[in-house]
Amino acid sequence: MILLSFDTEEFDVPREHGVDFTLEEGMKVSVEGTRRILDCLKENGVKATFFCTSNFAENAPETMRRIIEEGHEVACHGCDHWKPAATDVERSKRILEKITGRTMNGYRQPRMFPVSDSELTRMGYKYNSSLNPAFIPGRYMHLSAPRTYFMRDGVMQIPASVTPWLRFPLFWLSLHNLPERLYHSLTRRVLRHDGYFVTYFHPWEFYDLKEHPEFRMPFIIRNNSGRRMTERLDRLVKMLKADGRQFITYTEFVNLKTNRS
């Protein structure tokens, strides 16, 4: 089973590098990137889960409509990606449910930072996917955390996939920078070991960042961005489909595991 997801937020990474970047500028980048992602998924006939900030949802109604109409799941990713607040667990759920007309079952904290377990339980979330059980310099150290799904306070925790033993992360940066054959090989290794694979990307990765030096993006993010990243995603999806893997939403995964248990 493949749990493919996208952190659908306003592009704010330049602000991490001292660039004054507006919400309008960030939305332009992310809307274009989301369009390319949706085109790729539609062409391949697969479903994904889109973790959306309320900023994105409120400022891109047509894109949100397309995500829903094409059969993807929408989940919460806080409100303002640049300034996460403790109240986002509740506020983002209420805003996204109003916009989409759907129940929000899942949450992912911006930048995979910690989030209140009690708030997730109180708000009735079925799952939380805010854990990358690896060491990411400058971000987090989670080498002692569980590397596969587990329950906590009645909410299923769904970590991003890392390789067994060495815990090499197979998230977005890895597909940008590893040779594709190696990334595909490591993905297959996780599938053999765990029986499922969880990964995530961002719409702005699919924007042509190399054409915008004013963003001051690091090489590891600019590398293979834009159309090259769209092609890499397309080849990854095609490889997994050729292997007979099924793409499912996070809610479908939770329901499957809960019913089985």
Side-chain angles (χ1 to χ4, degrees):
M1 294 176 290
I2 309 299
L3 282 71
L4 176 63
S5 65
F6 300 91
D7 289 359
T8 315
E9 67 218 21
E10 61 278 17
F11 179 49
D12 62 5
V13 183
R15 299 178 70 178
E16 296 184 27
H17 305 283
V19 179
D20 187 17
F21 213 71
T22 68
L23 174 61
E24 291 73 22
E25 291 172 312
M27 286 300 302
K28 176 183 175 182
V29 171
S30 289
V31 166
E32 173 60 21
T34 306
R35 181 190 65 77
R36 293 182 179 185
I37 290 167
L38 288 168
D39 287 348
C40 178
L41 299 180
K42 184 176 182 179
E43 179 183 331
N44 285 286
V46 299
K47 292 189 293 184
T49 299
F50 287 77
F51 289 88
C52 302
T53 63
S54 61
N55 269 351
F56 186 94
E58 289 176 317
N59 287 279
E62 292 183 6
T63 304
M64 292 299 297
R65 194 175 305 116
R66 183 178 172 192
I67 290 171
I68 293 169
E69 288 177 351
E70 294 185 3
H72 305 293
E73 178 180 6
V74 176
C76 294
H77 192 43
C79 295
D80 185 321
H81 193 267
W82 183 247
K83 295 180 178 180
T87 55
D88 288 355
V89 174
E90 177 175 351
R91 184 164 172 258
S92 64
K93 190 175 197 291
R94 298 200 187 284
I95 292 173
L96 280 158
E97 288 184 343
K98 182 178 181 180
I99 289 173
T100 65
R102 294 183 171 188
T103 300
M104 295 295 108
N105 293 319
Y107 192 87
R108 176 176 288 158
Q109 184 77 334
R111 296 179 178 85
M112 290 284 203
F113 285 168
V115 59
S116 169
D117 291 321
S118 60
E119 276 296 285
L120 292 171
T121 301
R122 183 179 74 84
M123 292 307 300
Y125 286 100
K126 287 186 175 182
Y127 67 87
N128 172 34
S129 185
S130 305
L131 174 63
N132 194 339
F135 170 53
I136 308 295
R139 289 292 190 192
Y140 33 72
M141 165 74 90
H142 293 318
L143 293 177
S144 62
R147 52 171 301 280
T148 55
Y149 75 93
F150 61 101
M151 298 298 297
R152 187 162 61 201
D153 293 342
V155 179
M156 183 177 288
Q157 312 294 315
I158 307 177
S161 289
V162 296
T163 60
W165 305 297
L166 291 180
R167 292 198 177 211
F168 187 86
L170 294 175
F171 64 154
W172 59 284
L173 269 179
S174 302
L175 187 57
H176 275 272
N177 294 286
L178 289 179
E180 283 185 86
R181 283 190 178 184
L182 177 57
Y183 186 91
H184 290 187
S185 175
L186 293 175
T187 298
R188 286 176 166 131
R189 181 177 299 178
V190 169
L191 282 162
R192 288 194 299 270
H193 191 274
D194 300 340
Y196 68 97
F197 178 70
V198 179
T199 192
Y200 64 99
F201 304 93
H202 311 84
W204 42 264
E205 301 171 52
F206 300 84
Y207 193 81
D208 297 306
L209 299 175
K210 284 188 175 182
E211 297 178 6
H212 295 275
E214 72 274 15
F215 292 172
R216 298 182 190 173
M217 304 296 289
F219 172 78
I220 59 172
I221 295 179
R222 297 194 320 269
N223 190 33
N224 290 311
S225 62
R227 298 191 184 282
R228 287 188 176 182
M229 193 62 179
T230 307
E231 292 166 357
R232 285 191 165 218
L233 176 64
D234 181 68
R235 287 190 288 267
L236 174 65
V237 170
K238 283 180 166 57
M239 178 275 290
L240 292 168
K241 288 189 68 178
D243 284 354
R245 302 296 179 176
Q246 180 186 8
F247 287 75
I248 64 174
T249 67
Y250 282 57
T251 292
E252 288 173 333
F253 180 82
V254 172
N255 291 340
L256 178 65
K257 295 300 181 180
T258 303
N259 291 338
R260 181 175 295 175
S261 62

